[in-house]
Amino acid sequence: MRIVYLLFHLWFNYKEVNSKYKTFPFILCSNSNSNNNNTTSTDPGNNGVNKSNINTKEIRCTFNGELKQGAEYTNGQYTYRYMQEIYDGFEGFEWENITEDGWGVTLNDKRASEVTSQLCTYINDKPVVSTVNMFYGSWAEKIDTSSFNTKNVVRMDSMFAVMISIEELDLSMFDTSNVTSMYFMFSNCSAKKINLSSFDTSNVTEMAGMFGSTEVAELDLSSFDTSNVEYCGMMFSYSTAKKVYGRTQKDVALLSGCSDAPTTLKFEVKR
């Protein structure tokens, strides 16, 4: 189903910009060094992750029903399901089973202008493991992420995709050390500023479409360790960004080699 999900999004983006595409985008990327005229060669030799703001406070919530796959729990503006996560398939959003012993979460009202509810870290001692499509299509102008403890999350696919009203996302408190997938995480997001300084991506294998059609001027990805990335096609397609900062020359080489990066987009190692 995850392959179907990726192909659906690739098809959707292809359909949206059909007049500009000549070929369907290739999504497999290589972790070998490559030459690119839009990159610099300075290597700072550090991991770049800023852990000073990472939220370690745990919010433990209680579900009074039977704990079985598909059990639903609502707390504030969020709905959680045990051993399920929400995907946007061909017939709309639907919950699907996952193998992890934890919860998926989504925003209840996508038309809410402000999201202030705290996010559970654990529910009945079971962690929140998926934020897939959590804010997809949300009209929110402001999201309070100060309570988010994401240390147990393994998938963040399309978490902030197609947000049409948000101006800024401060995610400097996110712990992404266990995340493996960030497919289309910010695709078509209207935010002009995104703080990703705490992002540890050392376990991430999938970044396809992550910043496609975003509206940021610059992307500081100097915390991104791309050593395990396998898929990064359409990562910057139709983004308005003019510059991307990477962690090392090897990371920059991979990022700049992702298919469909605009020719005006420059890549360099952050000094």
Side-chain angles (χ1 to χ4, degrees):
M1 184 61 196
R2 291 179 58 72
I3 296 299
V4 173
Y5 170 73
L6 172 60
L7 291 176
F8 171 75
H9 273 279
L10 290 173
W11 171 83
F12 176 79
N13 282 278
Y14 175 82
K15 179 181 176 183
E16 289 293 292
V17 295
N18 185 52
S19 62
K20 298 181 181 179
Y21 272 119
K22 300 301 181 184
T23 59
F24 196 76
F26 185 58
I27 63 172
L28 182 66
C29 56
S30 170
N31 258 300
S32 60
N33 287 321
S34 62
N35 293 322
N36 187 297
N37 292 332
N38 292 339
T39 67
T40 64
S41 59
T42 304
D43 188 337
N46 60 68
N47 62 22
V49 178
N50 181 359
K51 298 182 179 180
S52 61
N53 292 328
I54 288 179
N55 181 29
T56 59
K57 180 181 179 182
E58 298 178 354
I59 297 177
R60 294 183 175 267
C61 303
T62 301
F63 169 64
N64 293 321
E66 181 184 358
L67 192 62
K68 62 181 181 179
Q69 191 162 42
E72 186 170 294
Y73 170 67
T74 299
N75 188 315
Q77 292 170 281
Y78 299 121
T79 292
Y80 306 79
R81 280 211 184 178
Y82 181 56
M83 295 187 67
Q84 289 188 339
E85 61 188 11
I86 196 162
Y87 267 98
D88 55 328
F90 293 102
E91 298 181 359
F93 286 95
E94 55 189 23
W95 291 93
E96 292 194 346
N97 292 344
I98 58 177
T99 58
E100 291 85 4
D101 188 14
W103 299 78
V105 59
T106 190
L107 179 67
N108 296 332
D109 182 5
K110 297 298 177 69
R111 295 192 177 190
S113 61
E114 189 170 356
V115 181
T116 58
S117 293
Q118 291 187 323
L119 182 70
C120 298
T121 312
Y122 295 93
I123 305 169
N124 291 22
D125 295 324
K126 303 294 185 181
V128 171
V129 296
S130 174
T131 58
V132 170
N133 286 310
M134 184 174 179
F135 296 104
Y136 187 105
S138 169
W139 295 11
E141 298 173 4
K142 183 179 180 181
I143 300 173
D144 183 358
T145 58
S146 61
S147 67
F148 285 32
N149 183 333
T150 59
K151 67 178 182 179
N152 300 306
V153 176
V154 295
R155 283 183 297 280
M156 291 184 170
D157 305 342
S158 297
M159 184 176 180
F160 299 101
V162 200
M163 292 193 68
I164 61 174
S165 301
I166 199 79
E167 289 291 322
E168 183 173 356
L169 285 170
D170 181 4
L171 309 181
S172 61
M173 74 295 298
F174 273 35
D175 181 346
T176 62
S177 57
N178 285 312
V179 177
T180 60
S181 181
M182 293 180 172
Y183 276 136
F184 297 93
M185 186 172 179
F186 302 100
S187 178
N188 290 280
C189 179
S190 62
K192 305 300 189 295
K193 295 181 180 180
I194 306 176
N195 187 334
L196 305 168
S197 59
S198 68
F199 271 45
D200 176 352
T201 63
S202 57
N203 287 312
V204 177
T205 60
E206 300 158 350
M207 290 185 177
M210 187 173 181
F211 299 103
S213 299
T214 50
E215 299 182 16
V216 292
E218 290 187 350
L219 280 167
D220 186 348
L221 307 185
S222 59
S223 66
F224 278 39
D225 177 349
T226 65
S227 59
N228 286 312
V229 173
E230 298 174 0
Y231 300 96
C232 63
M234 296 180 68
M235 188 170 180
F236 304 103
S237 294
Y238 299 99
S239 169
T240 61
K242 300 301 181 185
K243 186 172 289 187
V244 172
Y245 293 100
R247 181 182 67 112
T248 67
Q249 182 58 31
K250 186 175 181 180
D251 295 303
V252 165
L254 182 135
L255 293 170
S256 63
C258 292
S259 63
D260 297 302
T263 57
T264 56
L265 182 56
K266 306 299 181 183
F267 296 82
E268 66 179 66
V269 175
K270 189 170 183 179
R271 300 176 185 272

